[in-house]
Amino acid sequence: MRKKAEAKTSELQLSIQPMPSGALEELLTAELMRSGKLSVRKALQLIRKVDFKKALIISGAAAAAVSVVNLTGKYRFYKSVVSGELKKQLAPVNKKLDELQKQNLELQKQLDEINGVEPAPSAKKHR
């Protein structure tokens, strides 16, 4: 008796498998139609309801994807705007830095001539 019960439970465990959400509803619809409890009209309405749910899920995913693309585009646009503004604001500072580097190089050359040392290689510009 115990072996029969164990065999039944193992058969039940093997028969229980996850099903896709739409497949379960379709099976229920088919079963209700066979038993005579569901009319053809109601079955079609139920199938349309399932299709409507799928359409809503797809449209929701598409809307999410579009919003992500939109946000990414806005981020890139504003990043380029800010970058351009920073370059404009830093232009006078960069110009002054170039002048100071040039002046420093000239002073180093003069010092090297006074001390009799071979001149150092030229300094690289920033950017």
Side-chain angles (χ1 to χ4, degrees), residues 7 41-42 74 100:
R41 182 173 177 237
K42 287 185 179 181
K74 284 182 181 180
L100 289 173

Side-chain angles (χ1 to χ4, degrees), residues 62-117:
V66 167
S67 67
V68 167
V69 168
N70 188 20
L71 286 175
T72 304
K74 284 182 181 180
Y75 171 76
R76 287 183 181 166
F77 172 74
Y78 288 118
K79 183 179 174 183
S80 66
V81 168
V82 169
S83 174
E85 286 295 319
L86 283 176
K87 284 182 183 178
K88 286 179 186 177
Q89 291 175 0
L90 290 176
V93 175
N94 287 336
K95 185 177 179 182
K96 183 69 174 174
L97 181 61
D98 289 339
E99 290 172 3
L100 289 173
Q101 284 178 341
K102 184 178 179 182
Q103 185 181 10
N104 186 24
L105 185 61
E106 289 173 4
L107 290 173
Q108 281 180 351
K109 284 182 183 178
Q110 288 176 0
L111 256 175
D112 288 342
E113 286 176 5
I114 292 172
N115 293 334
V117 180

